[in-house]
Amino acid sequence: MSTRNRDIILLILVAIIAIAPMVMYSGLGEDQGYFSGSDGAAGEAIEELGYEPWFSSFWEPPSGEIESLLFALQAAIGAIIIGYFIGYWRGASKNKKE
């Protein structure tokens, strides 16, 4: 099997894996319990136990979108830091070989 054929088969498999969940769960959303995160499920389980928080946050984002934005920004900053150190490590190891 040539490399080109293998790549085409892999691309088709990736497309099937990406499209299949969209087709299977088409029209269903968080209201039906799909695509909700483990954080929500864990929060509900903790509330069922009767847990009361012992402190509250000093600031809460005004909306869920801003909360998501801050989370994405945090993830992007973390990815930049990890990418920087991986690039630095690769550059240092490349310079050692030369």
Side-chain angles (χ1 to χ4, degrees):
M1 179 181 292
S2 71
T3 305
R4 184 171 181 218
N5 289 341
R6 187 182 65 198
D7 292 344
I8 290 171
I9 291 171
L10 287 174
L11 285 174
I12 291 170
L13 287 174
V14 167
I16 290 170
I17 291 171
I19 293 172
M22 291 185 227
V23 172
M24 291 170 47
Y25 298 107
S26 177
L28 301 174
E30 285 190 37
D31 295 338
Q32 291 84 19
Y34 295 98
F35 304 113
S36 60
S38 60
D39 290 343
E44 290 176 9
I46 290 171
E47 287 178 4
E48 288 176 4
L49 295 174
Y51 174 77
E52 292 184 24
W54 53 277
F55 75 98
S56 61
S57 300
F58 62 91
W59 180 77
E60 290 190 23
S63 68
E65 289 82 14
I66 292 176
E67 186 176 354
S68 296
L69 171 73
L70 292 174
F71 182 77
L73 184 65
Q74 177 186 3
I77 290 170
I80 288 170
I81 291 171
I82 291 171
Y84 171 78
F85 282 107
I86 289 174
Y88 180 81
W89 176 74
R90 285 195 59 162
S93 65
K94 188 176 182 179
N95 285 338
K96 275 186 179 178
K97 290 179 183 176
E98 292 177 354

